[in-house]
Amino acid sequence: MSDVQTYPVTVTVNGKKIQRFVESRTLLIHFLREELNLTGSHIGCETSHCGACTVEIDGTSVKSCTMFAVQANGAVVNTVEGLANSDGTLHALQEGFRQMHGLQCGFCTPGMLMRAKVLLSENPDPTEEEIRHGIAGNLCRCTGYQNIVKAIQYAAAKLNGRTYQEAAE
Amino acid sequence: MIPGQFVYHRPASIAEAVAVLAAHGDEARPLSGGHSLIPMMKLRMATPEHLVDLAGISELKGISQQGQTIVIGAMTTQADLIKSDLLASALPIIRETSLQIADPQIRTKGTIGGNVANGDPGNDMPGLMQCLGATYHLSGASGERTVAARDFYQGAYFTSLDVGEILTSISIPVPPAGHGYAYEKLKRKIGDYATAATAVILTMADGKVATCSIALTNVSSTPLFAEEAAQLCLGTSLDAATLKAAGEAAKSISDPAADGRGTAEYRREMAGVVTARALAKAASRAMKGA
Ligand SMILES: Cc1cc2nc3c(=O)[nH]c(=O)nc-3n(C[C@H](O)[C@H](O)[C@H](O)COP(=O)(O)OP(=O)(O)OC[C@H]3O[C@@H](n4cnc5c(N)ncnc54)[C@H](O)[C@@H]3O)c2cc1C
Ligand code: FES
Ligand code: FES
């Protein structure tokens, strides 16, 4: 098809304003990965189940495989590429995942990090149960979740000015 | 898995949306949260040529109370329902149900309007709306009309919505303060549709059930308003025999399909179990509230 209609999209991605023309059917995850070369957000299932494609849109968590790029017109989108602090040091969540071994193969990690970021902005000091419910839309096939929960607890402690104390088993 | 081509429309008012839908007939569909429609489009089970995105229509959003009625705009997301203080105090069963739908990301996008208009028997809101006696407000090229949730569902993906009509809001009578409520959903894992689920709203007076409403999710091609099961509870203290009888009445109207969640027999049995559980929980909450 030579004359496929395209639509103007203006989005702020990781603080940078971006304008592009997209086909209506372009999913946001493909726009991020293929158009903007932001391959941090992963495609796991393409069926809205795994959460590997989770990004932050206007302060909320969205599975970017289940949204058209045109729907994001005007939105502020943050991906894992924009998570580190502006001085280049790791975000508390990234540090938590590293310190607490919150990843093994790392495939789920970008989605977990971006989901956890919004979770902590809505609930800065979640209980373990609240963390588990909060990441219920993100699947991890490696860690068994235990260390992911600890990593998020580590980040919550750090962001609240405390040092993380692992609970006695 | 990329959907087929379509023309994207983003109207700013209900009137404009209705006009675009009318211009394209059954080749056009409304798009709300997209969390039922986009997966269907990826599988090419839905191939609309025009999508009318309702996200830009501010009059479709919000939750308000008008006298003894709560009005919820169609584009109110499941996450908004969970956050609403008004709903938490007046209609806590909506929060309880919303929290059992899908997962946090999906609830961020999924709307109440899309959930009730979709017509998938697995959706949780239609049964709840039948239990609450809700009314749907529809708007189309030939004007506005209302349809009771209890009359809206005709078969799987087959509702009273006419081609080109959109559901604009839902109005719900506020149950009396101190009412008991429960949404009991049996599911295999978070993010799964119900093996069987039951919504209950009841009031108690002097330890006996004074009013009772029951509806079932995903045990037939439509949600089921379980009138006989509710009748059996009236005037009782919901003793074990009554719970069993109400469960049997719920089972007798259930006609689930066998699927990955279990055989038809198992799922029908579970309709009875979740109904008895929901009644018991609602009664204990009503006692506490009194
Ligand atoms: C992994 C996964 C798990 C899920 N689990 C559950 C679950 O447990 N329980 C549950 O209830 N749901 C579940 N859902 C579905 C989810 O809640 C959907 O968001 C919801 O069913 C549809 O709402 P929507 O706003 O996304 O609608 P859309 O997907 O945008 O639309 C759905 C359909 O309704 C039509 N429509 C939408 N809005 C209107 C309107 N205002 N007027 C007229 N027609 C309209 C559309 O044209 C389309 O045909 C799940 C979804 C996923 C992806
Ligand atoms: S790729 Fe989006 S949820 Fe799995
Ligand atoms: S670390 Fe491998 S899937 Fe989570």
Side-chain angles (χ1 to χ4, degrees):
Chain A
M1 275 205 262
S2 54
D3 55 348
V4 172
Q5 189 175 351
T6 59
Y7 299 78
V9 169
T10 306
V11 276
T12 305
V13 180
N14 299 330
K16 228 170 83 190
K17 194 164 170 183
I18 285 167
Q19 281 180 295
R20 289 283 197 286
F21 281 84
V22 298
E23 279 184 48
S24 56
R25 63 175 178 161
T26 304
L27 296 164
L28 181 61
I29 184 71
H30 293 130
F31 177 73
L32 293 170
R33 290 177 56 87
E34 286 156 30
E35 190 69 37
L36 305 184
N37 284 326
L38 294 171
T39 54
S41 309
H42 289 162
I43 303 175
C45 66
E46 292 194 80
T47 58
S48 334
H49 286 90
C50 74
C53 63
T54 300
V55 298
E56 179 184 1
I57 301 184
D58 294 332
T60 66
S61 299
V62 174
K63 292 180 172 177
S64 61
C65 73
T66 313
M67 178 171 178
F68 296 114
V70 279
Q71 290 177 277
N73 190 25
V76 173
V77 179
N78 290 315
T79 69
V80 72
E81 286 89 346
L83 188 58
N85 302 317
S86 48
D87 63 2
T89 56
L90 294 182
H91 183 276
L93 277 162
Q94 293 169 310
E95 189 182 312
F97 273 68
R98 177 165 159 178
Q99 294 300 333
M100 305 315 296
H101 305 282
L103 62 146
Q104 288 176 26
C105 79
F107 193 86
C108 69
T109 313
M112 286 287 183
L113 286 167
M114 296 316 289
R115 173 62 200 130
K117 175 172 184 259
V118 172
L119 172 65
L120 292 184
S121 75
E122 290 174 347
N123 183 358
D125 215 356
T127 62
E128 175 178 342
E129 198 186 337
E130 287 166 344
I131 293 174
R132 288 185 185 275
H133 281 281
I135 59 169
N138 295 73
L139 300 180
C140 176
R141 280 297 171 254
C142 302
T143 63
Y145 301 98
Q146 202 68 20
N147 288 347
I148 293 177
V149 173
K150 286 182 189 167
I152 297 171
Q153 287 171 325
Y154 177 105
K158 179 161 184 193
L159 292 169
N160 286 304
R162 294 193 311 264
T163 312
Y164 174 59
Q165 300 280 334
E166 233 178 289
E169 305 267 307
Chain B
M1 288 209 301
I2 299 170
Q5 298 285 355
F6 60 88
V7 180
Y8 177 77
H9 305 264
R10 195 178 165 99
S13 68
I14 295 173
E16 207 188 314
V18 164
V20 180
L21 286 166
H24 300 289
D26 58 10
E27 274 152 22
R29 280 229 212 169
L31 171 69
S32 292
H35 273 59
S36 287
L37 185 52
I38 296 174
M40 300 265 280
M41 288 173 66
K42 288 183 181 180
L43 297 168
R44 310 289 164 120
M45 285 160 69
T47 51
E49 290 175 21
H50 296 264
L51 276 193
V52 182
D53 188 349
L54 306 181
I57 308 176
S58 51
E59 42 184 331
L60 290 177
K61 286 175 199 150
I63 305 166
S64 62
Q65 182 156 9
Q66 298 166 8
Q68 279 311 97
T69 305
I70 296 233
V71 179
I72 305 179
M75 286 301 285
T76 307
T77 64
Q78 286 146 187
D80 293 335
L81 299 174
I82 291 167
K83 275 188 230 148
S84 163
D85 293 333
L86 174 59
L87 291 182
S89 67
L91 276 165
I93 194 170
I94 293 189
R95 182 169 195 274
E96 178 157 292
T97 307
S98 303
L99 280 167
Q100 296 179 69
I101 293 177
D103 61 44
Q105 287 96 313
I106 292 167
R107 298 194 292 259
T108 295
K109 293 297 291 175
T111 66
I112 190 164
N115 199 297
V116 301
N118 191 29
D120 182 337
N123 281 135
D124 290 290
M125 287 296 175
L128 175 59
M129 293 301 130
Q130 292 198 337
C131 173
L132 289 168
T135 302
Y136 299 160
H137 298 258
L138 314 180
S139 198
S142 51
E144 293 175 16
R145 62 186 183 116
T146 57
V147 179
R150 290 174 193 167
D151 300 328
F152 185 76
Y153 299 94
Q154 290 161 17
Y157 297 101
F158 186 51
T159 70
S160 303
L161 265 181
D162 284 336
V163 169
E165 253 182 337
I166 59 173
L167 189 148
T168 54
S169 66
I170 300 172
S171 53
I172 305 170
V174 180
H179 70 274
Y181 66 91
Y183 191 73
E184 279 292 306
K185 175 175 174 179
L186 180 69
K187 55 186 192 293
R188 294 168 301 180
K189 59 177 271 292
I190 285 202
D192 192 18
Y193 292 92
T195 301
T198 299
V200 169
I201 294 279
L202 53 72
T203 57
M204 309 277 291
D206 304 325
K208 302 260 194 282
V209 178
T211 61
C212 183
S213 177
I214 305 176
L216 317 178
T217 294
N218 214 17
V219 286
S220 178
S221 60
T222 64
L224 297 173
F225 180 54
E227 215 165 352
E228 194 201 327
Q231 283 288 332
L232 288 171
C233 299
L234 295 181
T236 73
S237 59
L238 285 179
D239 52 291
T242 308
L243 289 179
K244 189 158 192 302
E248 288 300 322
K251 272 164 58 180
S252 72
I253 58 170
S254 300
D255 184 21
D259 65 9
R261 296 172 186 85
T263 60
E265 291 82 347
Y266 169 72
R267 296 185 60 200
R268 186 179 304 114
E269 196 63 33
M270 291 307 108
V273 169
V274 290
T275 298
R277 281 185 196 162
L279 282 164
K281 190 188 266 185
S284 81
R285 283 170 166 168
M287 306 280 211
K288 261 186 228 140

